[in-house]
Amino acid sequence: MTSQNRLASADIYRGFVMLLMMAEVLHLGDVAKALPNSSFWAFLGHHQDHVEWVGCALHDLIQPSFSFLVGVVLPYSVANRLSKGGSFSQALWHTIKRSLILIALGIFLRSQYKTQTYFTFEDTLSQIGLGYTFLFLLAFRSQKIQITALVIILIGYWLAFALYPLPDANFNYADAGVTKDWEYNLSGFAAHWNKNTNLAWAFDQWFLNLFPREKPFLFNGGGYATLSFIPTLGTMILGLLAGNIFLSSSSSQEKLKRFLILGVSGLVLGTMLDTLGICPNVKRIWTPTWVIFSGGWCFLLLAFFYWIIDIKQSTEAYFLKVIGMNSIAAYCIADGLGVYISKSLKIHLGENYASILGDSYQTLIHGGLMLLIYWLILNWMYKKKIFIRI
């Protein structure tokens, strides 16, 4: 998008999401462990980590928000490209190249500190790349077709998991990296969505072993899977629908109202599907319920930032704007330079410099300084008008 038609609230929302991702360096969970009697740090630590399986913490909303925003801005990007005289075929070719670059960048970042290329596709960038071209094609279809595609994805993905057989009596749980009595295992019908015993895990045992590897792929320790790009596309379609609302002729208040209604509806429906045992709410394998539930939060967060930034015209979001307008750079800095910056700080300031407030807060001090350096790099890029675009 050009500077003239950028959606400011989307930039600030993206900046907020990327800040949450970069702030992992604060390791609030370690502070909570060092201060076991503090409910304050326990609360912050909980929300700076992913839940083990079913449920949602603030940290779990980073990836769906990032994916959702891809859909939000796509109608603007397409309109901008076509307004400059570009053809559909040119835009499609650009989209395919962008998809491949996102996939490759995800693999590159995950291959750091490995002895060879680490082929994995559950990374946020790769997941978006795998579905982005399909999203682009849907952007040229009617809203009815977009909604139909979303419904087919959600029901089809649910059905595929539901029909995949449960582990039998001879199943080797050790080879799946889980135990039969793992405390987060689900029972009954919901067991079709248990960690590393589901359809997506079985697919990866075949698919990922088609690539050269240091050792055969058996399981992902977190339960993440390549096939999650399919329901992730559902999340991006929700964003596309939000982008359609932005481009509609409705008033600002009407748009805000629709975002709020969709947000609350997503939370209610997602909670019902999970509670009734129809489909558990699991972010790690991106269940259809997670698409709906996290989508509800995305609509509500978008409504908040739209109200603050675009309706109220707040000018107090420079800190987030710097991050949000260079999100790919922020992602690469946090993922690719974090170890280097961390080591450099300890080399030049001393191994124990961060214990100035006591051992309990070392990770907070060290991570806070790293986070400041991340932002200063992005601020310098912003002032120099250096923006990484794919």
Side-chain angles (χ1 to χ4, degrees):
M1 292 184 291
T2 63
S3 59
Q4 286 76 25
N5 66 358
R6 290 192 73 93
L7 185 61
S9 53
D11 283 329
I12 304 306
Y13 181 8
R14 191 185 299 107
F16 170 72
V17 170
M18 297 308 299
L19 176 63
L20 291 179
M21 190 205 80
M22 294 191 300
E24 288 178 357
V25 294
L26 298 175
H27 294 289
L28 300 180
D30 290 343
V31 179
K33 290 177 182 177
L35 301 169
N37 297 321
S38 172
S39 57
F40 172 76
W41 288 110
F43 175 81
L44 293 182
H46 169 74
H47 283 287
Q48 203 189 42
D49 198 3
H50 297 297
V51 297
E52 287 292 339
W53 201 243
V54 175
C56 176
L58 178 61
H59 209 64
D60 291 303
L61 294 177
I62 295 174
Q63 188 172 349
S65 291
F66 197 73
S67 304
F68 179 83
L69 285 167
V70 170
V72 171
V73 302
L74 183 59
Y76 288 84
S77 178
V78 168
N80 180 55
R81 187 168 294 276
L82 296 181
S83 69
K84 293 180 178 179
S87 66
F88 171 81
S89 58
Q90 289 174 325
L92 176 59
W93 176 236
H94 172 79
T95 298
I96 293 173
K97 289 193 293 184
R98 189 182 192 194
S99 297
L100 294 174
I101 291 172
L102 286 170
I103 295 169
L105 183 56
I107 294 172
F108 173 79
L109 291 173
R110 288 292 169 266
S111 298
Q112 293 183 99
Y113 317 114
K114 302 288 185 180
T115 59
Q116 66 180 78
T117 303
Y118 182 61
F119 289 97
T120 182
F121 301 91
E122 82 284 351
D123 170 84
T124 300
L125 297 181
S126 296
Q127 289 279 292
I128 292 173
L130 287 169
Y132 187 68
T133 298
F134 299 103
L135 184 72
F136 172 84
L137 294 174
L138 281 171
F140 286 87
R141 310 303 294 180
S142 68
Q143 183 162 287
K144 181 178 179 180
I145 291 179
Q146 293 168 2
I147 294 174
T148 300
L150 174 62
V151 172
I152 290 174
I153 287 171
L154 296 183
I155 295 178
Y157 202 69
W158 173 85
L159 187 61
F161 272 70
L163 293 177
Y164 184 78
L166 294 172
D168 59 28
N170 298 318
F171 184 81
N172 189 334
Y173 283 87
D175 282 349
V178 293
T179 58
K180 188 175 182 179
D181 58 350
W182 187 47
E183 62 179 308
Y184 298 103
N185 276 339
L186 301 168
S187 59
F189 180 68
H192 287 278
W193 290 271
N194 274 342
K195 181 179 180 180
N196 291 344
T197 61
N198 56 64
L199 171 69
W201 161 79
F203 174 84
D204 273 347
Q205 279 208 320
W206 164 75
F207 178 67
L208 294 181
N209 283 310
L210 297 177
F211 299 91
R213 316 191 71 82
E214 295 178 39
K215 55 184 179 180
F217 175 85
L218 295 177
F219 59 86
N220 181 288
Y224 301 102
T226 301
L227 284 182
S228 292
F229 86 89
I230 298 173
T232 295
L233 175 58
T235 300
M236 292 194 287
I237 293 174
L238 288 177
L240 185 61
L241 296 175
N244 293 341
I245 293 173
F246 273 124
L247 288 177
S248 71
S249 58
S250 303
S251 67
S252 297
Q253 293 301 324
E254 179 61 25
K255 292 174 183 177
L256 181 64
K257 180 181 177 180
R258 292 172 71 180
F259 291 149
L260 292 172
I261 291 174
L262 288 169
V264 172
S265 298
L267 295 184
V268 171
L269 180 56
T271 300
M272 287 178 58
L273 291 171
D274 180 63
T275 303
L276 295 175
I278 297 173
C279 181
N281 189 30
V282 185
K283 182 262 181 187
R284 291 174 186 257
I285 52 172
W286 221 277
T287 60
T289 296
W290 175 253
V291 174
I292 296 169
F293 181 83
S294 64
W297 276 117
C298 290
F299 274 111
L300 292 179
L301 287 168
L302 182 64
F304 171 76
F305 288 108
Y306 179 56
W307 177 65
I308 292 292
I309 304 301
D310 291 326
I311 295 179
K312 294 296 183 180
Q313 296 291 306
S314 173
T315 58
E316 304 300 321
Y318 178 79
F319 182 85
L320 294 178
K321 183 178 181 181
V322 165
I323 304 171
M325 289 189 66
N326 230 339
S327 57
I328 296 296
Y331 195 101
C332 293
I333 289 170
D335 226 29
L337 295 181
V339 173
Y340 171 77
I341 292 174
S342 177
K343 289 182 177 179
S344 296
L345 287 174
K346 292 181 179 181
I347 288 173
H348 298 292
L349 300 180
E351 191 69 29
N352 299 314
Y353 84 93
S355 61
I356 184 172
L357 296 180
D359 292 343
S360 299
Y361 298 100
Q362 281 193 69
T363 59
L364 186 64
I365 300 298
H366 183 62
L369 189 50
M370 288 181 64
L371 190 59
L372 175 61
I373 292 172
Y374 292 169
W375 187 85
L376 289 174
I377 294 172
L378 292 169
N379 187 52
W380 174 82
M381 294 178 70
Y382 178 82
K383 291 184 175 180
K384 295 293 183 179
K385 293 181 170 54
I386 302 173
F387 300 103
I388 306 299
R389 300 281 184 259
I390 294 177

